[in-house]
Amino acid sequence: MRAVIVAVGVAFIVSLFCTPIAIKVFTRLKAGQPIRAEGPAMHQTKKGTPTMGGVVFILATVIAYVAGHLALTTLPDAQIAQVEPTITALVLLGLMVFSGAVGFLDDFLKVRKRNSAGLNKRGKLLGQILVGAVFGVVALYFPSTMTDATGKVTNTETVGSTTLSFIRDIDALEVSKIGAVIIFIFVVMGATNGVNLTDGLDGLATGASVMVLAAYALIAFWQYRHWCADPSYTQSYCYAVRDPLEIALIAGAAAGACVGFLWWNTSPARIFMGDTGALGLGGLIAGMAMSTRTILLLPIIGGLFVIITMSVVIQIISFRTTGKRVFRMSPLQHHFELAGWSEVNIVVRFWIIAGIGVAIALGLFYSEFLANMT
């Protein structure tokens, strides 16, 4: 727990104090956010606000991960504390950094061209597929070799699983490794695009991501406290995952980094996360679902992202089939803007929706544990 707290604190401080520096740097570089002409008219006042702020909390998460590992070296049981960096960390941080890199390219092109086009849809899609495929393969083809004091291997889990999962793996839904990689690619695409579509109002995606990441930190730490690979855990009911403390540490660090960034990103935003941050967070959230074996729980934990994504899908299908729009504008948050809601009201109410999804997911996770312990 100490390492997770250290990681959260370091990430928050780095993000809080480095974001103003990023604001000055991006302003000097004229890296302002272009605004779509077809978007809500009130958004034109945001034109020129520095973008690519996701660079700050991605960097803060990586720094906090290192700090958390330094804290781990002081713990008495290095074996269970997982002092050495793991493949799990490589996968999770890699998903965040490289998904963010795809978003950074998109932001860079927007700034350079001085319009909101950026990277074309095909290029962004290919980038998401490549990142999902590379880290999906790593997650499924490199098992743990954790050993006990006698040298016996006690954990041969991979980061991902060839079995679809809800609260844990569902044995009846097993697929091949190639099938599991393909599924994970779709999870990455869904999560990255979901966060990206939600990132339309000041602080909306950042605040929602804090809740989702905090939920995964709690889930992973609970799994660590009831871990099958822990020789000191004597209960028959345990979680067969790989490196749960690593997952909790990274999720906590990312949540802390987002809170620090939110100080400057809340309305009126002085900086936007851009596609750099949105895709980076989406990639990390996808990795969290895979590594905690809760892939089918993700649509509930990230319920707000699902609702907003579905609003876009519904709008497109309706317009192409009937020529009529269901919403005044999509994504959904812009519909309420055009209906006269203030930006702050929309953000706070959408945060409440995100919190409800997280609460339901955590309730399902814990109730499953209680049901199997009785």
Side-chain angles (χ1 to χ4, degrees):
M1 188 66 175
R2 182 192 314 171
V4 177
I5 293 173
V6 168
V8 172
V10 169
F12 171 75
I13 292 170
V14 171
S15 186
L16 180 67
F17 290 102
C18 287
T19 301
I21 298 173
I23 293 172
K24 293 179 181 178
V25 171
F26 290 141
T27 299
R28 190 175 299 116
L29 294 174
K30 298 182 179 180
Q33 176 70 47
I35 304 296
R36 292 186 305 160
E38 63 273 18
M42 62 283 288
H43 283 205
Q44 294 304 316
T45 60
K46 301 181 181 184
K47 187 175 181 179
T49 302
T51 187
M52 296 188 282
V55 169
V56 179
F57 58 72
I58 290 174
L59 180 62
T61 301
V62 175
I63 293 172
Y65 170 76
V66 175
H69 266 269
L70 292 176
L72 282 176
T73 60
T74 64
L75 295 178
D77 193 339
Q79 183 185 58
I80 300 304
Q82 303 173 272
V83 173
E84 298 297 326
T86 64
I87 291 291
T88 302
L90 172 66
V91 170
L92 295 179
L93 293 176
L95 283 165
M96 189 180 199
V97 171
F98 285 95
S99 294
V102 175
F104 182 85
L105 178 59
D106 186 38
D107 288 332
F108 176 77
L109 292 175
K110 289 177 183 177
V111 171
R112 185 176 182 182
K113 296 176 181 178
R114 294 289 187 266
N115 63 53
S116 59
L119 188 64
N120 61 49
K121 293 180 181 178
R122 182 176 298 177
K124 191 182 293 187
L125 183 65
L126 287 174
Q128 293 168 341
I129 292 173
L130 180 61
V131 171
V134 169
F135 289 102
V137 169
V138 174
L140 285 157
Y141 285 84
F142 292 87
S144 172
T145 55
M146 184 176 175
T147 58
D148 60 19
T150 65
K152 179 183 177 182
V153 175
T154 60
N155 186 15
T156 58
E157 295 290 339
T158 53
V159 180
S161 173
T162 56
T163 304
L164 286 177
S165 55
F166 182 54
I167 305 298
R168 58 179 66 243
D169 285 340
I170 303 172
D171 294 336
L173 298 179
E174 187 170 3
V175 296
S176 65
K177 286 188 176 181
I178 294 176
V181 171
I182 293 172
I183 290 171
F184 182 61
I185 290 172
F186 280 105
V187 174
V188 170
M189 291 169 59
T192 52
N193 286 304
V195 178
N196 198 22
L197 290 170
T198 304
D199 182 33
L201 300 180
D202 296 352
L204 177 56
T206 310
S209 296
V210 168
M211 298 181 209
V212 171
L213 290 166
Y216 276 119
L218 291 172
I219 287 172
F221 192 77
W222 186 262
Q223 291 176 333
Y224 172 66
R225 298 296 295 175
H226 305 84
W227 190 24
C228 296
D230 184 353
S232 66
Y233 184 69
T234 57
Q235 299 292 333
S236 60
Y237 193 70
C238 59
Y239 294 95
V241 296
R242 174 173 177 166
D243 311 318
L245 187 59
E246 287 277 81
I247 303 168
L249 194 154
I250 294 171
C258 285
V259 172
F261 181 76
L262 184 60
W263 183 273
W264 306 99
N265 181 236
T266 193
S267 183
R270 293 186 57 189
I271 188 170
F272 299 139
M273 69 166 68
D275 280 23
T276 305
L279 269 61
L281 288 174
L284 178 59
I285 289 170
M288 289 291 161
M290 173 179 63
S291 58
T292 57
R293 311 292 171 85
T294 56
I295 283 181
L296 297 180
L297 191 64
L298 175 57
I300 301 175
I301 294 180
L304 178 65
F305 302 140
V306 174
I307 291 169
I308 289 177
T309 301
M310 289 308 299
S311 74
V312 176
V313 173
I314 291 169
Q315 186 86 323
I316 292 172
I317 292 175
S318 176
F319 187 74
R320 289 184 177 178
T321 55
T322 69
K324 297 180 180 180
R325 292 180 172 86
V326 176
F327 307 104
R328 300 183 185 191
M329 182 178 290
S330 65
L332 187 60
Q333 59 269 31
H334 299 320
H335 167 82
F336 289 105
E337 277 191 290
L338 296 181
W341 291 26
S342 72
E343 182 170 8
V344 172
N345 275 340
I346 297 169
V347 170
V348 172
R349 288 168 181 173
F350 276 37
W351 281 352
I352 292 171
I353 294 172
I356 291 171
V358 165
I360 292 172
L362 289 176
L364 290 171
F365 180 84
Y366 187 59
S367 63
E368 190 267 353
F369 176 81
L370 290 179
N372 285 279
M373 286 295 289
T374 56

